[in-house]
């Protein structure tokens, strides 16, 4: 069987997960998700619909979605920009957290994924506050910059990893002081520490970390996580 960096052995046909996840990690996520988080039937269905996208099982775990939603609320964010929609699972958490008066713009390369997501937004009752823009996210973001849209308060970067530095640069054009920027999948089953990695996804994470470190306007940290989604992590940054 072919073995890629961090990929579960069920790759590539129908990965139950994109990284190996110990049974204990999964059990703890399940416990906290059942105890504290709860996924309503709409979210459960949105998770299931990931199978109809180009990247099954790449959505965040339920407790991670809840974490993103809490960050949005803690930040008091009303305008959210997301790079990478897929089935819209995280988008629903973000959209519910901005409330009825909030707005989420989500950028998705694949029309097939955007169609799946839009169905999920309707079912979740958030379609009116979510704008999905289909196309290469760097181009969509450049258009938003060109249009001079109102600044975003919160950005979630969760699309193709080699473009992380470009997405950060766009996020900085589209936000102001106090904005929060979160980047998914920055640990990649531990591969992030290999500076010589030939994997462009690993280099995309390392480059964006370097860019954040070099930017005096950003306070940031990173947390590695284990759970249902394996060993991975998030960068959280805030604009001064
Ligand atoms: C991958 C991408 C993701 O956004 C994610 O959450 C998990 C895995 C991937 O590129 O394999
Ligand atoms: Mg991700």
């Amino acid at each position: 069987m072919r073995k890629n960096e961090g990929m579960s052995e069920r790759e590539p046909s129908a990965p139950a997960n994109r990284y190996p996840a110990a049974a204990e990690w999964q059990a703890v996520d399940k416990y906290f998700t059942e105890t504290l988080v709860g996924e309503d039937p709409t979210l459960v269905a949105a998770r299931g619909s990931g199978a109809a996208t180009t990247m099954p099982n790449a959505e965040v775990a339920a407790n991670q979605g809840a974490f993103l939603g809490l960050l949005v609320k803690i930040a008091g964010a009303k305008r959210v920009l997301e790079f990478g929609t897929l089935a819209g699972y995280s988008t629903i958490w973000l959209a519910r957290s901005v409330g009825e008066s909030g707005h989420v713009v989500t950028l998705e390369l694949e029309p097939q994924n955007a169609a799946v997501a839009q169905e999920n937004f309707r079912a979740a009752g958030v379609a009116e506050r979510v704008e999905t823009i289909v196309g290469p996210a760097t181009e969509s973001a450049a258009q938003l910059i060109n249009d001079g849209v109102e600044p975003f308060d919160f950005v979630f970067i969760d699309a193709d990893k080699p473009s992380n530095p470009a997405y950060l640069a766009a996020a900085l054009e589209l936000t102001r002081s106090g904005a929060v920027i979160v980047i998914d999948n920055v640990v990649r089953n531990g591969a992030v520490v290999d500076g010589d990695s030939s994997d462009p996804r690993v280099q995309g994470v390392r480059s964006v970390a370097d860019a954040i470190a070099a930017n005096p306007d950003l306070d940031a940290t990173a947390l590695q996580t284990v759970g249902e989604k394996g060993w991975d992590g998030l960068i959280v940054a805030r604009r001064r």
Side-chain angles (χ1 to χ4, degrees):
M1 180 168 295
R2 185 171 67 94
K3 254 202 146 199
N4 287 333
E5 172 258 309
M7 290 293 181
S8 112
E9 294 203 348
R10 286 194 231 181
E11 277 281 320
S13 54
N17 210 339
R18 305 191 76 83
Y19 296 109
E24 301 93 307
W25 302 353
Q26 300 191 50
V28 171
D29 263 5
K30 185 167 183 286
Y31 165 70
F32 281 125
T33 292
E34 286 173 0
T35 307
L36 295 175
V37 176
E39 273 184 312
D40 70 0
T42 311
L43 281 168
V44 174
R47 174 179 300 291
S49 75
T53 69
T54 55
M55 279 186 66
N57 297 300
E59 72 281 343
V60 298
N63 52 354
Q64 295 171 330
F67 180 67
L68 293 171
L70 281 166
L71 286 179
V72 165
K73 289 183 180 176
I74 291 165
K78 285 291 168 194
R79 286 180 53 79
V80 173
L81 175 63
E82 179 179 58
F83 290 83
T85 315
L86 275 182
Y89 180 82
S90 51
T91 325
I92 294 171
W93 279 103
L94 297 166
R96 286 181 169 167
S97 298
V98 295
E100 229 171 294
S101 65
H103 190 64
V104 178
V105 176
T106 185
L107 311 181
E108 173 57 44
L109 175 64
E110 302 284 350
Q112 172 192 340
N113 301 344
V116 171
Q118 269 164 324
E119 198 48 54
N120 290 329
F121 301 153
R122 272 190 288 277
V126 296
E128 275 171 27
R129 65 185 91 144
V130 179
E131 185 184 343
T132 309
I133 305 178
V134 180
T138 37
E139 288 175 24
S140 303
Q143 188 65 52
L144 292 171
I145 294 165
N146 202 48
D147 290 349
V149 296
E150 208 185 310
F152 293 93
D153 313 304
F154 188 102
V155 180
F156 182 45
I157 299 177
D158 188 21
D160 59 302
K161 312 313 173 189
S163 300
N164 276 343
Y167 298 152
L168 175 71
L172 291 171
E173 295 288 321
L174 289 162
T175 55
R176 60 192 160 196
S177 175
V180 176
I181 299 171
V182 178
I183 308 176
D184 195 25
N185 310 114
V186 300
V187 172
R188 312 203 60 89
N189 208 37
V192 67
V193 295
D194 181 7
D196 297 327
S197 174
S198 58
D199 185 337
R201 298 169 301 181
V202 170
Q203 293 302 340
V205 172
R206 293 179 63 92
S207 300
V208 83
D210 288 344
I212 292 169
N215 189 325
D217 285 337
L218 292 173
D219 293 315
T221 189
L223 293 177
Q224 53 183 332
T225 57
V226 295
E228 177 191 308
K229 295 288 169 175
W231 178 22
D232 215 326
L234 298 165
I235 287 176
V236 180
R238 180 185 176 277
R239 274 192 94 143
R240 286 191 185 156

